[in-house]
Amino acid sequence: MRLEQPNCWSEHGALQTVLVCSPSVQSIPSLQVAENVQWNAPVQQDVAMENHHSLISVLKQEGVQVIDYALYLDLVTRQLNEQLINRFFVRDLACVFGNTILPGIAGTFMRRAEYDHVHKLLENWFPETFTKDVTEGVKALEYGDVLILNANAVFINIGMRTSLESVEQMMGHIFQAGFTEIGLISLPRRADTLHLDMNCNVAAEDVVIAKSYMYYLPVQVVNKEGIKGYDMTEKFLHRHGFDIYWLDKYETIPDINFLNINPDTLLISKQAHKQMLKSHPKLKNKRFIEIDVSELEKAGGGIRCMTLPLVRK
């Protein structure tokens, strides 16, 4: 396996290397089981695997190096890992800030094992850029709650799976990585607002797509010296060069949880309302690649949740 050193300064740069994981070997047989494991519907393992193959096939066709971390686990670890039903939601596990990889901490106990499995691999692959020790004392920080807006600013949600205390402890490492400003927002604590990337996402170097209710929420702005002040969401994003495409009607997962492959191309779910997304003047000429991930989406996340960028140019 060829490993280029991590490099990621935005959500929209050309994706060169991405970490993924195939779905669990287990199906979720009934609605009752799905509800108990906090999924939206039963899932058939064979169909979920077909969805996963479609995802990695398109990424490879677009010239992206795809690394399925499960293939690199030792036999004993793999036997447990393949039974972990949420393991394909790799976005939460870690994040590349510039040239630094910071580990996440599971906000729910049932996901701790997969975090540990991936962190050991990253520590082995990138010993100079990944340091697990920075999470000592951190209680909950999932990177579905983090958007890297550009080389200056990071946007973080304090919500169901990410605590304020944990973010405050990790801020210094984000600043050390080269970013100058962090915006903190606190979204409603519901299943459909579980992470920041279920509420807004970067669709271009100067466009953010967001649910319209976020217009009414304040953002606490922090720099290296401490709290800089407060902005409303729109002003904060405008100040960092983004127009906001406010959505009043949407399907949370397919319409919000997409992936930038490069500055001209978005990878979206076939369930997404493509024409609605393209109706913004700055997005109308974008290339949209649609794939069927509907079985995987039943687990409560989308394409962005299933991908962890390691290198963007």
Side-chain angles (χ1 to χ4, degrees), residues 21-36:
C21 186
S22 52
S24 167
V25 297
Q26 303 195 90
S27 294
I28 301 299
S30 68
L31 180 59
Q32 182 65 62
V33 173
E35 290 175 347
N36 286 337

Side-chain angles (χ1 to χ4, degrees), residues 53-83:
H53 288 323
S54 295
L55 172 64
I56 62 175
S57 176
V58 167
L59 289 169
K60 288 180 178 179
Q61 288 171 15
E62 292 299 308
V64 180
Q65 180 187 19
V66 180
I67 301 172
D68 185 336
Y69 82 75
L71 301 177
Y72 299 92
L73 298 171
D74 64 72
L75 180 60
V76 174
T77 303
R78 188 184 301 187
Q79 288 174 341
L80 170 64
N81 187 269
E82 67 184 6
Q83 299 177 70

Side-chain angles (χ1 to χ4, degrees), residues 72-285:
Y72 299 92
L73 298 171
D74 64 72
L75 180 60
V76 174
T77 303
R78 188 184 301 187
Q79 288 174 341
L80 170 64
N81 187 269
E82 67 184 6
Q83 299 177 70
L84 302 176
I85 59 172
N86 291 300
R87 71 176 188 162
F88 62 96
F89 289 142
V90 296
R91 177 71 65 151
D92 302 325
L93 309 181
C95 185
V96 178
F97 292 92
N99 304 119
T100 300
I101 309 177
L102 295 181
I105 298 296
T108 178
F109 189 84
M110 69 181 293
R111 296 199 63 189
R112 285 193 178 184
E114 67 206 73
Y115 278 67
D116 186 57
H117 296 165
V118 171
H119 293 171
K120 287 178 180 177
L121 288 175
L122 293 174
E123 191 171 21
N124 181 52
W125 292 341
F126 307 108
E128 296 181 0
T129 55
F130 179 88
T131 307
K132 190 174 180 180
D133 294 343
V134 301
T135 60
E136 186 175 348
V138 176
K139 296 182 179 179
L141 175 54
E142 298 190 350
Y143 287 107
D145 275 322
V146 175
L147 293 176
I148 299 176
L149 299 177
N150 51 41
N152 296 314
V154 176
F155 198 22
I156 303 178
N157 172 48
I158 308 303
M160 291 178 66
R161 298 289 181 85
T162 297
S163 72
L164 176 59
E165 295 79 12
S166 297
V167 172
E168 289 175 337
Q169 185 168 332
M170 294 293 279
M171 277 184 184
H173 300 290
I174 296 174
F175 290 131
Q176 287 175 17
F179 297 86
T180 58
E181 192 169 280
I182 298 172
L184 303 179
I185 194 168
S186 183
L187 303 180
R189 287 161 168 76
R190 302 191 309 263
D192 64 329
T193 57
L194 180 67
H195 287 135
L196 182 61
D197 64 9
M198 296 175 70
N199 296 265
C200 69
N201 202 350
V202 176
E205 65 177 356
D206 55 357
V207 180
V208 166
I209 293 177
K211 295 179 180 179
S212 58
Y213 82 88
M214 290 181 64
Y215 176 85
Y216 302 96
L217 299 182
V219 174
Q220 184 182 74
V221 182
V222 183
N223 58 21
K224 289 183 179 180
E225 287 69 45
I227 297 175
K228 183 178 178 181
Y230 297 86
D231 280 335
M232 297 304 289
T233 299
E234 186 172 56
K235 183 178 179 182
F236 172 74
L237 292 170
H238 274 300
R239 190 159 50 78
H240 288 288
F242 291 93
D243 289 341
I244 307 176
Y245 182 17
W246 298 111
L247 299 183
D248 292 313
K249 295 182 179 180
Y250 43 77
E251 293 292 334
T252 289
I253 294 172
D255 288 338
I256 305 290
N257 206 267
F258 49 79
L259 178 72
N260 291 265
I261 293 182
N262 57 55
D264 301 314
T265 308
L266 287 180
L267 182 60
I268 66 171
S269 168
K270 276 195 173 179
Q271 307 298 315
H273 295 85
K274 183 175 70 172
Q275 293 308 314
M276 176 186 71
L277 299 178
K278 288 178 73 74
S279 66
H280 190 282
K282 291 185 176 181
L283 301 179
K284 65 180 181 180
N285 295 322

